[in-house]
Amino acid sequence: MSLRLQLNDYRLTTAEILYRLPDHPTLLQTYIWQDLDLAPSYPQFRRFLDFWTRSLAGQLHSVRVAQQALIDPPALRHASACLTLH
């Protein structure tokens, strides 16, 4: 299933969510969310944020999203040094 999604342009998406604790609103807590999702609309992540705002007491402060393609073409790099061990 994962491979099929990746072939349909789904990418590994990671979100760092900062939220305020209900009992201590001056403190920020971090939650990391990760799943395969489709950029730029991020339907899976939007469903998760909808669930968060409906069901959880922690008020969202900020969200950072990053994504990485799991299936990439091969990369070729030149070595910056050549060492010999005896």
Side-chain angles (χ1 to χ4, degrees):
M1 181 166 110
S2 171
L3 180 60
R4 186 179 77 228
L5 289 175
Q6 291 174 50
L7 292 174
N8 288 320
D9 289 334
Y10 278 73
R11 302 292 181 246
L12 181 62
T13 305
T14 304
E16 177 190 42
I17 302 168
L18 292 178
Y19 65 97
R20 296 191 186 280
L21 295 171
D23 297 340
H24 304 283
T26 58
L27 295 178
L28 290 176
Q29 189 78 359
T30 302
Y31 182 81
I32 302 296
W33 176 90
Q34 193 172 56
D35 202 355
L36 291 176
D37 211 348
L38 186 60
S41 61
Y42 300 109
Q44 301 282 34
F45 184 55
R46 287 182 183 269
R47 273 194 291 276
F48 176 75
L49 285 181
D50 289 342
F51 162 77
W52 183 294
T53 55
R54 270 192 335 271
S55 306
L56 302 178
Q59 179 187 10
L60 294 175
H61 175 269
S62 60
V63 175
R64 288 194 308 175
V65 177
Q67 71 171 357
Q68 174 63 42
L70 297 178
I71 300 176
D72 281 336
L76 178 64
R77 296 186 312 174
H78 296 282
S80 61
C82 183
L83 305 172
T84 304
L85 296 175
H86 293 274

